[in-house]
Amino acid sequence: MLENSKISSRQFTILVTLYLIGSAILIIPSILASEAKQDAWIAALLTVGVALFIMPLYVALGSRFPNMTFAEYTEEILGKWLGKTVALFFLTAFPFFTASLTLRNIGDFVTTQVMPETPIQAIHIIFLGIIIMGVRLGLEPLARAAELFFPGVILLFLLLIVFTAPQMKLENIQPVLEEGIKPVLRAAVPFISFPFVEPVIFLMLFPYVNRTKQIGKALFTGILLGGIFLFVVTALTILVIGVDQATRQNFPSYVLAKQISVGQFLERIEAIMAVIWFITIFFRMCIFLYVVTLGIAQALNLKDYRFLTFPLGMILTVLSIVGIPSSTYLLEFNQKIWPIYAATFGLFLPMLLLSAAIFRKKRNN
């Protein structure tokens, strides 16, 4: 293996949790509210339950090859050339492309909410510079940093709940299931695809967890914690600012944080949400770039992955601007195309590989 780092199951859980929160914490309430209206919180709760049933697929595939990454055992299952082709296609078409979407989210958020006069290209370059430095340090330092920042994320999240609780209005979620269960199910589809089938990329990290027998539990816990974060944010957004605001805003949870008002001295501390988002989005992007560079290096039998970070970072910057021309285009893509796209790589490909591995083992026996 190109990477000799080892991380604990606890660190793996934290990385999964931070990855899931990522950009989803800002935009998921809007996506859910646009379909399910005041029942968005039900859709969020339902989706988290469904996501937990997807995880055994990843654990079953990864546990068959405990000492190999996804890029390595794809070659083992499908043969040398077909396996390399599939691995490279997966890495470039899924985690790398998803990283470009996430980078575009970063640029859109900063240029519309924080620094409107700053060119989006400058934001992308600055963020990617920091991310490249993090990836070049390796997996173990990233995992330790995640472990260090995680309590701060939880503390800020609890402060957000406490400060917005006085402004909750139960009438904002009433009547419950006014239009039946169908809108809730429609809303759940894009939420499952973003971000709950994306943890397929963590199959690249399975061999680096020092207790392989605890990977399933660690992945399950990470998905559950990330799902709870997103469920609570969705419920808070609907309860505080209402369905109309949640639907109209591109980043409704940031608008939620702007509602904080304690007496006349603690107001507009939306930095709470911004800091949570900046921390989680950093680790999300680092995981993307790390997985892509490591996987490509393994598929091409390179001696090191670090020298790939800079050229791939430059390509990522261009792709985030050229491939996604506007935030409106990104919103349409997320709602209409992304569910099918993500399911192809996050569900059908792992099922195909698992079936092929089982068939090949039976045939050899």
Side-chain angles (χ1 to χ4, degrees):
M1 291 190 293
L2 293 175
E3 181 70 275
N4 295 319
S5 299
K6 284 291 183 181
I7 62 175
S8 67
S9 56
R10 168 189 164 88
Q11 290 170 334
F12 182 78
T13 296
I14 291 172
L15 285 174
V16 173
T17 304
L18 294 177
Y19 171 88
L20 286 176
I21 296 171
S23 54
I25 196 172
L26 282 180
I27 63 177
I28 278 300
S30 176
I31 294 174
L32 292 177
S34 63
E35 283 286 351
K37 306 303 179 186
Q38 70 270 18
D39 297 320
W41 64 276
I42 301 176
L45 192 60
L46 175 66
T47 304
V48 174
V50 173
L52 296 176
F53 283 99
I54 299 174
M55 295 309 109
L57 170 64
Y58 303 152
V59 176
L61 179 58
S63 61
R64 285 185 166 269
F65 307 93
N67 298 317
M68 294 183 180
T69 67
F70 182 89
E72 291 172 326
Y73 59 69
T74 301
E75 185 177 338
E76 181 78 14
I77 295 171
L78 301 177
K80 183 177 180 179
W81 296 112
L82 179 59
K84 286 181 181 294
T85 303
V86 171
L88 288 171
F89 178 69
F90 168 80
L91 291 167
T92 53
F94 193 57
F96 190 68
F97 179 67
T98 310
S100 71
L101 300 180
T102 304
L103 187 61
R104 181 67 194 214
N105 275 331
I106 293 172
D108 286 341
F109 173 73
V110 174
T111 54
T112 59
Q113 305 294 327
V114 184
M115 295 185 290
E117 296 182 5
T118 305
I120 192 170
Q121 295 89 343
I123 302 298
H124 288 186
I125 291 170
I126 292 170
F127 263 82
L128 267 178
I130 299 169
I131 290 158
I132 288 171
M133 287 191 289
V135 172
R136 290 178 69 88
L137 290 174
L139 179 61
E140 195 170 332
L142 275 177
R144 290 179 179 177
E147 199 172 20
L148 182 66
F149 279 105
F150 190 60
V153 171
I154 293 177
L155 177 61
L156 290 172
F157 188 67
L158 292 175
L159 288 175
L160 178 69
I161 295 173
V162 171
F163 288 148
T164 55
Q167 300 185 50
M168 293 182 188
K169 300 175 183 177
L170 285 177
E171 56 265 29
N172 285 344
I173 61 170
Q174 296 173 344
V176 177
L177 295 176
E178 181 183 18
E179 298 181 13
I181 196 66
K182 287 184 179 180
V184 173
L185 296 177
R186 287 199 304 269
V189 172
F191 192 23
I192 292 172
S193 62
F194 170 69
F196 288 114
V197 299
E198 293 178 10
V200 65
I201 71 170
F202 281 92
L203 291 172
M204 286 291 299
L205 305 186
F206 271 30
Y208 304 112
V209 180
N210 56 14
R211 295 184 181 180
T212 55
K213 292 183 179 179
Q214 296 184 1
I215 287 179
K217 181 180 178 182
L219 182 63
F220 183 92
T221 306
I223 297 295
L224 182 61
L225 287 175
I228 290 172
F229 265 82
L230 297 178
F231 163 71
V232 172
V233 166
T234 301
L236 276 177
T237 302
I238 301 300
L239 284 166
V240 174
I241 68 174
V243 176
D244 291 338
Q245 278 270 64
T247 305
R248 288 199 301 267
Q249 299 290 336
N250 289 332
F251 307 105
S253 53
Y254 187 70
V255 176
L256 163 71
K258 288 183 177 181
Q259 308 303 311
I260 294 174
S261 178
V262 180
Q264 294 184 352
F265 68 97
L266 193 60
E267 294 185 356
R268 297 290 300 274
I269 53 172
E270 56 268 19
I272 288 179
M273 180 59 71
V275 171
I276 293 173
W277 184 73
F278 282 131
I279 293 173
T280 55
I281 206 80
F282 167 77
F283 287 103
R284 177 179 170 87
M285 285 294 297
C286 282
I287 290 168
F288 276 136
L289 191 58
Y290 178 81
V291 164
V292 172
T293 53
L294 179 66
I296 290 176
Q298 289 175 336
L300 298 180
N301 297 323
L302 303 176
K303 293 182 179 180
D304 191 21
Y305 70 90
R306 289 174 176 83
F307 77 94
L308 293 172
T309 55
F310 188 69
L312 287 177
M314 290 193 295
I315 295 172
L316 200 56
T317 304
V318 176
L319 183 61
S320 64
I321 301 297
V322 176
I324 306 114
S326 67
S327 56
T328 305
Y329 176 89
L330 180 58
L331 182 63
E332 287 289 313
F333 179 86
N334 284 338
Q335 291 181 334
K336 296 180 180 179
I337 300 174
W338 180 252
I340 300 172
Y341 190 87
T344 302
F345 295 100
L347 288 177
F348 300 133
L349 180 59
M351 289 172 64
L352 178 64
L353 290 175
L354 181 60
S355 302
I358 294 171
F359 175 76
R360 185 168 183 171
K361 183 178 181 180
K362 286 182 178 180
R363 188 182 65 176
N364 290 340
N365 290 338

